[in-house]
Amino acid sequence: MEKIMEEQTYEQMNGIALAYMGDAIYEVYIRKHLLQSGITKPTKLHHRATHYVSAKAQAFLIDKMNEKEIMTEHEAEYFRRGRNAKSHTSAKNTSVLTYRISTGFEALFGYLFLSGQTERLDRLAEWCIETVEKEKK
């Protein structure tokens, strides 16, 4: 897949804007996974999706990425850009720190998408899904 936008555009984008895109992209991966696993009832889909897309789940995944050294240094820069961004929304049902870490997680996904790194995005999303699945057992 080719880049969605020019490098200088996403390079200059703030962490919140990257997270805005990344939130949507990660959500699509999760929805696809849930539908492929045979879940079709809207309430069950929503309930199961929260295991993957909640701020707590995303912060957990960042901890695991750091533990397993999954992110490249360049990717970690985009994570930090999202984590450190000044947000005008507040955390719901979680701590401010967890919320900020999840914003960094989403910024990473936004960066990978906007830079056209589809294979890396696919592998990372697959790793996240597998990691959450293992944790649930």
Side-chain angles (χ1 to χ4, degrees):
M1 180 173 153
E2 71 181 55
K3 288 187 283 189
I4 302 302
M5 53 179 45
E6 292 302 313
E7 186 172 349
Q8 65 267 25
T9 306
Y10 66 79
E11 283 281 341
Q12 295 172 357
M13 205 172 275
N14 71 48
I16 299 299
L18 290 168
Y20 174 77
M21 178 56 78
D23 176 50
I25 296 305
Y26 185 61
E27 181 85 26
V28 169
Y29 278 99
I30 298 309
R31 288 179 182 207
K32 179 181 171 190
H33 167 72
L34 294 175
L35 290 173
Q36 287 175 334
S37 66
I39 302 168
T40 57
K41 293 186 177 174
T43 357
K44 191 162 186 171
L45 284 165
H46 178 72
H47 175 73
R48 289 289 298 277
T50 60
H51 292 288
Y52 302 89
V53 300
S54 70
K56 288 177 186 170
Q58 292 173 349
F60 163 78
L61 288 166
I62 287 294
D63 281 345
K64 290 292 182 188
M65 283 182 203
N66 288 333
E67 183 181 300
K68 306 261 186 211
E69 298 181 358
I70 299 287
M71 278 186 279
T72 67
E73 185 53 43
H74 194 64
E75 291 169 346
E77 289 174 26
Y78 281 90
F79 160 74
R80 286 189 294 272
R81 185 184 299 187
R83 182 197 61 197
N84 297 338
K86 299 284 186 252
S87 176
H88 299 290
T89 59
S90 59
K92 299 174 199 90
N93 305 319
T94 192
S95 72
V96 171
L97 179 60
T98 300
Y99 182 75
R100 290 174 68 119
I101 291 170
S102 73
T103 302
F105 174 93
E106 293 167 348
L108 170 60
F109 271 77
Y111 155 69
L112 291 172
F113 176 75
L114 294 172
S115 62
Q117 296 183 56
T118 311
E119 284 184 30
R120 177 63 173 151
L121 195 54
D122 290 346
R123 283 195 321 270
L124 191 57
E126 184 179 319
W127 180 88
C128 289
I129 290 167
E130 289 171 2
T131 301
V132 170
E133 294 287 321
K134 285 181 200 167
E135 182 66 18
K136 288 190 327 187
K137 292 180 181 180

